[in-house]
Amino acid sequence: MRALVKFREEHGHIEVPAVYKSPEGGCCLYNWMVSQREHFRRGQLPEPLVTRLAEELDFNLKGEGSPFGYRTKSKDRKRKRTCTSEEKLDSWETRYSELETHLIREGTLYNLDEDTSLGRWANKQRLLYKENRLWNDRKERLTALGFDLESKKARKEVPWDQRFEELKKIKRKYGHDKVPLNYKNTKLYFWCSNQRHYYKKFKLLPEREKLLKSIGFS
């Protein structure tokens, strides 16, 4: 990966010749790139690596042979090729899945590192929303996760355990866990919705599922 990044910095593209030998030594960079495509086709390439290759290095993992990049100059047309709408859609879905995974693991969306590719993508969604260029279905899906499109940047939020304690107080006070959308703490409403969603999708962490069931959450 490091050798490919260096090659791109030096040459402005990722069209590595088959005879190219990296100054750092190691395996043939061309063969390594071919093997990444093969791993991708078999579903064996880790998501973080897929994201880095496709998003940061413009590596077309679905292709075969040369060219390797999406935006490589054509010998005939001498112009850049941009990503197709299908490729861009795949990229957005990949990021959305990463965001969903982050929420399941961390219990919040407000601790994203802005220096990571996911953090930059999240801020880009806020910018698109502000400029009224975010598709409605994407806006709805992000909002359903509890993603705050209004904030300029990600901010800290209370951890999962604290939300659970808030829910327990609601249950003790009202005798149920049906937090209404117009409840004073709207974040708790979205948090509850997310827990139900991930339970139905079998994505809720076992220890959290156990805690929610202990108070009769449904």
Side-chain angles (χ1 to χ4, degrees):
M1 181 71 181
R2 189 179 305 167
L4 181 58
V5 171
K6 189 172 182 179
F7 181 92
R8 189 172 187 266
E9 290 175 349
E10 293 178 353
H11 301 277
H13 59 78
I14 60 170
E15 301 313 314
V16 179
V19 295
Y20 174 79
K21 292 184 178 180
S22 172
E24 300 177 358
C27 66
C28 174
L29 183 55
Y30 179 91
N31 290 341
W32 180 84
M33 294 176 74
V34 172
S35 69
Q36 300 315 296
R37 280 179 167 170
E38 182 62 28
H39 292 321
F40 176 76
R41 280 192 284 271
R42 294 179 179 178
Q44 299 173 343
L45 206 60
E47 281 297 332
L49 183 55
V50 171
T51 298
R52 288 200 64 190
L53 290 172
E55 292 284 321
E56 299 178 20
L57 294 177
D58 224 20
F59 192 165
N60 181 6
L61 290 164
K62 296 181 179 180
E64 293 185 8
S66 296
F68 285 108
Y70 283 121
R71 303 180 177 90
T72 303
K73 287 185 177 180
S74 167
K75 293 182 179 179
D76 299 324
R77 300 183 181 182
K78 299 292 181 181
R79 64 188 182 122
K80 290 184 178 180
R81 175 188 178 274
T82 57
C83 293
T84 65
S85 58
E86 181 181 354
E87 291 162 351
K88 289 181 178 179
L89 180 59
D90 287 346
S91 175
W92 195 93
E93 292 295 343
T94 298
R95 290 291 188 216
Y96 182 83
S97 295
E98 290 177 9
L99 189 69
E100 195 175 36
T101 299
H102 180 91
L103 177 60
I104 295 171
R105 184 178 65 249
E106 303 292 335
T108 178
L109 293 176
Y110 295 97
N111 60 349
L112 293 172
D113 186 346
E114 295 180 19
D115 291 329
T116 64
S117 54
L118 181 58
R120 290 190 292 271
W121 177 86
N123 281 333
K124 183 178 179 181
Q125 306 312 301
R126 294 186 175 97
L127 178 61
L128 290 172
Y129 173 76
K130 181 180 179 181
E131 296 176 347
N132 200 30
R133 294 192 294 123
L134 186 64
W135 296 355
N136 287 333
D137 64 319
R138 292 181 175 180
K139 180 172 64 176
E140 291 172 0
R141 291 174 66 187
L142 288 168
T143 301
L145 284 182
F147 183 79
D148 190 354
L149 288 164
E150 298 287 349
S151 299
K152 184 177 180 181
K153 290 184 179 180
R155 65 173 183 269
K156 298 291 183 180
E157 195 192 8
V158 297
W160 192 95
D161 291 342
Q162 188 169 331
R163 288 290 186 219
F164 178 68
E165 290 301 319
E166 292 174 5
L167 180 62
K168 285 169 66 176
K169 291 179 181 179
I170 293 290
K171 185 70 180 289
R172 286 196 297 267
K173 184 175 182 179
Y174 298 104
H176 62 77
D177 53 32
K178 308 300 182 184
V179 181
L181 179 57
N182 61 353
Y183 182 66
K184 60 182 179 180
N185 186 349
T186 56
K187 296 299 181 184
L188 182 59
Y189 168 84
F190 286 115
W191 182 88
C192 290
S193 296
N194 287 334
Q195 308 316 302
R196 293 186 178 97
H197 171 76
Y198 292 124
Y199 175 75
K200 291 177 181 177
K201 297 290 184 179
F202 302 100
K203 293 182 178 180
L204 193 62
L205 296 179
E207 60 270 24
R208 292 177 178 175
E209 180 181 342
K210 184 177 181 180
L211 285 171
L212 290 168
K213 285 185 174 180
S214 71
I215 63 170
F217 183 77
S218 59

